[in-house]
């Protein structure tokens, strides 16, 4: 039962963790995002139908044919690890085939992400001209800085930058939305991530959701991958090992040799090579703790003593262990229910707000 509840508690917060992209009713919105990172496109219509068309001259088709895309119960569209090839137009229609909302999404290749750290004197990419005969300039459109990933101690913050192209006197567009089916290669056509150090005071943080798990160094390299629940490249993530901070500065400078934060998801995955106690924080809140697993009978920790015990003593310890597991199961169930209710309430409030805006537009 505990395993089932643990898996359920991992699944439910996923909807809360994904980036939600919104657009006004009956509008067309352009957005640059990173491939390989989950996203939800908002469309509040229970009988919504979603169509997709790329820039390869194909006719729009239902997205239900794509394996990594599914429509959520409220009508929105969930894209699981979208690929650069899924750059294009996403159109949401109601049951009468009338337009509800449209998105032009450029999923820029996260494997080409250019990462720099201010503390190391590294500079972002410079603007560059594009030789298509229309005086185009390639530049990076920077998103706002994310919050500092830690408080009370030195931390780091990051911002994402997307490849954009601007033609003289025209509005800029995400690179691959601008290029469409034009085949062009340039080392400048890549997204960016910039990191800098930060230090902010702590405010009261309400830790609502914490995972405790064990891991074991298994493969030939003697490493293991740890996943930070609710972590995302779109929000602040922080790792520590035995209470020591793991930073992008150390990793980019080559000082960190016992851990590697995965760049493709903003450090939400951590590869570890040494046994230790690892903790991750998302938006400054403790989210998970991972302990290195040892081949020791867990019952010994409940009642240390002689290795040889009477059957009655062993049975007593088993009952104690069972009580502990039942208590953890109840706590996990309560936490899971509260998390689900929080997600539903958040979604309901957004839907009501979106519906009010839609009614005003109709009037």
């Amino acid at each position: 039962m505990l395993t089932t509840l643990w898996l359920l508690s991992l699944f439910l917060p996923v909807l809360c963790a994904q980036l939600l992209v919104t657009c006004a009713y009956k509008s067309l919105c352009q957005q640059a995002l990173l491939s390989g990172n989950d996203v939800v496109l908002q469309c509040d219509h229970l009988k919504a139908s979603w169509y997709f068309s790329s820039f390869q001259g194909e006719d729009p088709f239902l997205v239900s044919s794509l394996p990594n895309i599914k429509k959520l119960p409220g009508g929105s569209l969930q894209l699981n690890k979208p690929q650069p090839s899924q750059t294009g137009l996403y159109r949401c229609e109601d049951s009468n085939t009338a337009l509800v909302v449209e998105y032009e999404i450029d999923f820029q290749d996260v494997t080409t992400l250019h990462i720099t750290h201010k503390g190391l004197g590294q500079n972002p990419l410079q603007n560059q001209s594009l030789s298509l005969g229309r005086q185009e300039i390639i530049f990076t459109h920077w998103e706002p800085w994310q919050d500092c990933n830690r408080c009370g101690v030195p931390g780091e913050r990051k911002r994402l930058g997307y490849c954009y192209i601007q033609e003289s006197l025209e509005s800029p567009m995400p690179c691959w939305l601008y290029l469409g089916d034009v085949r062009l290669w340039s080392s400048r056509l890549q997204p960016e991530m910039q990191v800098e150090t930060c230090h902010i005071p702590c405010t009261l943080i309400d830790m609502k959701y914490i995972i405790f798990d064990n891991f074991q160094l298994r493969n030939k390299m003697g490493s293991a991958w740890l996943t930070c629940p609710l972590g995302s490249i779109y929000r602040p993530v922080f790792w520590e090992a035995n209470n020591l901070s793991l930073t992008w500065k150390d990793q980019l400078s080559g000082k960190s040799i016992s851990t590697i934060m995965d760049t493709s998801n903003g450090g939400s995955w951590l590869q570890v090579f040494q046994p230790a106690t690892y903790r991750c924080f998302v938006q400054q809140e403790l989210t998970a703790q991972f302990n290195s697993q040892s081949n020791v009978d867990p019952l010994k920790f409940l009642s240390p003593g002689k290795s040889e015990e009477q059957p009655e003593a062993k049975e007593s310890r088993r009952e104690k262990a069972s009580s502990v597991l039942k208590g953890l199961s109840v706590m996990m169930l309560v936490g899971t229910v509260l998390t689900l209710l929080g997600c539903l309430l958040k979604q309901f409030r957004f839907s009501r707000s979106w519906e009010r805006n839609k009614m005003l537009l109709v009037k």
Side-chain angles (χ1 to χ4, degrees):
M1 179 181 179
L2 185 59
T3 301
T4 303
L5 289 173
W6 182 81
L7 291 173
L8 184 61
S9 66
L10 282 178
F11 171 75
L12 289 176
V14 168
L15 294 181
C16 296
Q18 291 173 339
L19 178 68
L20 180 66
V21 181
T22 63
C23 188
Y25 180 58
K26 288 195 173 182
S27 296
L28 170 65
C29 294
Q30 286 185 350
Q31 180 79 45
L33 297 169
L34 292 174
S35 68
N37 290 270
D38 298 351
V39 65
V40 173
L41 304 182
Q42 181 78 25
C43 180
D44 284 341
H45 195 285
L46 294 177
K47 296 183 179 181
S49 296
W50 283 90
Y51 294 87
F52 170 75
S53 58
S54 67
F55 298 100
Q56 307 302 322
E58 62 191 20
D59 294 328
F61 59 88
L62 283 169
V63 298
S64 56
S65 60
L66 299 174
N68 66 326
I69 298 181
K70 69 176 182 180
K71 191 179 76 171
L72 298 177
S76 296
L77 195 67
Q78 179 183 4
L79 294 91
N80 180 37
K81 294 180 173 55
Q83 298 304 303
S85 59
Q86 292 176 300
T87 291
L89 177 67
Y90 293 82
R91 178 184 175 91
C92 178
E93 298 181 354
D94 62 19
S95 54
N96 296 317
T97 69
L99 173 66
V100 179
V101 67
E102 281 184 310
Y103 298 89
E104 280 188 337
I105 305 295
D106 182 359
F107 288 112
Q108 301 190 359
D109 191 355
V110 75
T111 64
T112 66
L113 188 68
H114 182 74
I115 304 178
T116 55
H117 198 293
K118 281 190 173 183
L120 297 175
Q122 299 170 338
N123 297 316
L125 298 173
Q126 299 299 308
N127 294 355
Q128 182 176 313
S129 60
L130 186 65
S131 57
L132 290 180
R134 296 190 293 270
Q135 297 182 332
E136 303 94 344
I137 296 294
I138 308 174
F139 69 98
T140 297
H141 171 74
W142 291 101
E143 294 289 308
W145 286 98
Q146 297 177 9
D147 293 336
C148 193
N149 61 9
R150 200 71 174 94
C151 69
V153 297
E156 294 177 319
R157 65 174 186 171
K158 65 179 184 290
R159 62 173 179 169
L160 301 175
Y162 298 100
C163 177
Y164 268 67
I165 295 176
Q166 183 168 21
E167 188 179 333
S168 180
L169 303 179
E170 298 291 336
S171 298
M173 291 180 62
C175 285
W176 299 108
L177 291 180
Y178 179 90
L179 293 172
D181 56 2
V182 175
R183 296 184 178 274
L184 177 70
W185 183 91
S186 170
S187 59
R188 184 57 184 83
L189 297 171
Q190 57 188 123
E192 297 193 70
M193 185 174 85
Q194 188 179 36
V195 186
E196 68 176 10
T197 57
C198 54
H199 197 167
I200 62 172
C202 286
T203 57
L204 182 62
I205 296 177
D206 183 16
M207 294 183 294
K208 300 178 181 178
Y209 181 82
I210 304 175
I211 290 286
F212 293 89
D213 197 11
N214 297 327
F215 71 93
Q216 208 168 20
L217 304 179
R218 296 179 180 273
N219 56 31
K220 295 180 180 179
M221 296 180 60
S223 68
W225 281 99
L226 309 180
T227 301
C228 188
L230 305 181
S232 167
I233 199 169
Y234 301 114
R235 56 171 51 87
V237 178
F238 175 85
W239 284 94
E240 64 180 20
N242 289 339
N243 298 320
L244 297 177
S245 301
L246 305 179
T247 66
W248 285 107
K249 185 177 182 180
D250 287 343
Q251 179 165 316
L252 294 174
S253 64
K255 292 181 179 180
S256 177
I257 58 175
S258 60
T259 60
I260 298 176
M261 290 184 287
D262 193 324
T263 59
S264 67
N265 49 56
S268 298
W269 294 355
L270 181 72
Q271 189 176 17
V272 300
F273 299 90
Q274 295 179 357
T277 297
Y278 297 92
R279 299 200 300 169
C280 75
F281 299 75
V282 177
Q283 293 180 302
Q284 303 173 9
E285 295 187 15
L286 176 61
T287 304
Q289 176 172 311
F290 302 88
N291 303 304
S292 54
Q293 191 174 27
S294 58
N295 297 320
V296 180
D297 181 4
L299 295 179
K300 291 183 179 180
F301 293 99
L302 295 177
S303 179
K306 298 179 180 179
S307 57
E308 294 296 330
E309 294 182 290
Q310 296 298 323
E312 293 82 0
K314 291 185 178 180
E315 184 63 28
S316 176
R317 289 194 291 112
R318 290 194 182 93
E319 291 178 359
K320 290 180 181 179
S322 178
S323 298
V324 171
L325 292 177
K326 288 180 180 178
L328 289 174
S329 298
V330 173
M331 292 175 62
M332 193 73 72
L333 179 60
V334 172
T336 299
V337 172
L338 292 176
T339 301
L340 178 58
L341 290 176
C343 290
L344 293 176
L345 180 59
K346 181 179 179 181
Q347 186 76 7
F348 175 75
R349 287 177 176 174
F350 188 91
S351 299
R352 291 291 299 274
S353 175
W354 196 84
E355 286 292 337
R356 287 196 297 269
N357 292 339
K358 183 171 69 174
M359 291 175 63
L360 290 173
L361 287 170
V362 171
K363 290 180 181 179

